[in-house]
Amino acid sequence: MKFTLNGTERTIEAAGDMPLLWAIRDIVGLTGTKFGCGAALCGACTVHVDGAPVRSCQTSLADVEGKSVTTIEGVGGEVGTAVVAAWRKLDVVQCGYCQSGQIMSAIGLLSENRKPSDADIDAAMDGNVCRCATYQRIRAAIHDAASNLA
Ligand code: FES
Ligand code: FES
């Protein structure tokens, strides 16, 4: 299977039905993307495919053939840089386990909507669960990143 991963073309010798998450973590060795539920319920495994957030536990290698995948390790650009800076500034992270997925979803939101309301944020972030309940700081950080993108 051939696809672009964080800007580099990759050929992965694996079955097309292998979950993208397995390939990212176990074959490529990028462990910033986390396994949580394995069932599209927690968002810990969120990456971008062609710029849009997807759950990599429920996305197969065949689904990304010829496409561009970005993981937390490849975050950059105007929106990605603003989101990471806001996360640091507001010290969003507690245990950290969910946070790469949270950041990928937040970048997806701000790439589409530079001035999200609280309701927009809640809707976009709804599928990203945080056991440490950092939801208030996540929302504040998204607003902070948005203000820096204005
Ligand atoms: S591990 Fe993919 S959504 Fe939970
Ligand atoms: S920071 Fe611990 S699960 Fe979210």
Side-chain angles (χ1 to χ4, degrees):
M1 295 289 144
K2 270 193 190 162
F3 59 98
T4 301
L5 181 61
N6 297 335
T8 302
E9 193 156 298
R10 294 270 185 171
T11 301
I12 306 257
E13 303 294 343
D17 63 355
M18 174 183 276
L20 176 60
L21 177 59
W22 276 212
I24 290 168
R25 289 184 54 90
D26 296 345
I27 297 179
V28 183
L30 294 177
T31 55
T33 305
K34 303 303 186 200
F35 173 79
C37 64
L41 298 171
C42 75
C45 67
T46 305
V47 300
H48 294 174
V49 175
D50 288 345
V54 302
R55 305 299 189 237
S56 62
C57 69
Q58 295 295 310
T59 302
S60 68
L61 275 179
D63 290 334
V64 301
E65 174 116 55
K67 297 186 177 168
S68 177
V69 176
T70 306
T71 69
I72 189 71
E73 291 88 350
V75 161
E78 188 186 19
V79 175
T81 302
V83 167
V84 170
W87 244 249
R88 288 209 172 105
K89 177 178 159 193
L90 298 184
D91 208 6
V92 170
V93 175
Q94 195 158 320
C95 83
Y97 200 84
C98 73
Q99 297 289 337
S100 59
Q102 304 280 4
I103 286 170
M104 299 312 282
S105 290
I107 294 169
L109 167 63
L110 288 168
S111 297
E112 294 286 314
N113 177 359
R114 296 259 172 145
K115 280 283 161 240
S117 64
D118 282 349
D120 294 336
I121 293 172
D122 291 349
M125 303 300 291
D126 190 44
N128 285 84
V129 178
C130 177
R131 288 173 300 180
C132 303
T134 61
Y135 300 111
Q136 297 297 329
R137 291 202 298 274
I138 287 169
R139 194 197 262 177
I142 292 172
H143 282 305
D144 186 80
S147 70
N148 288 326
L149 288 168

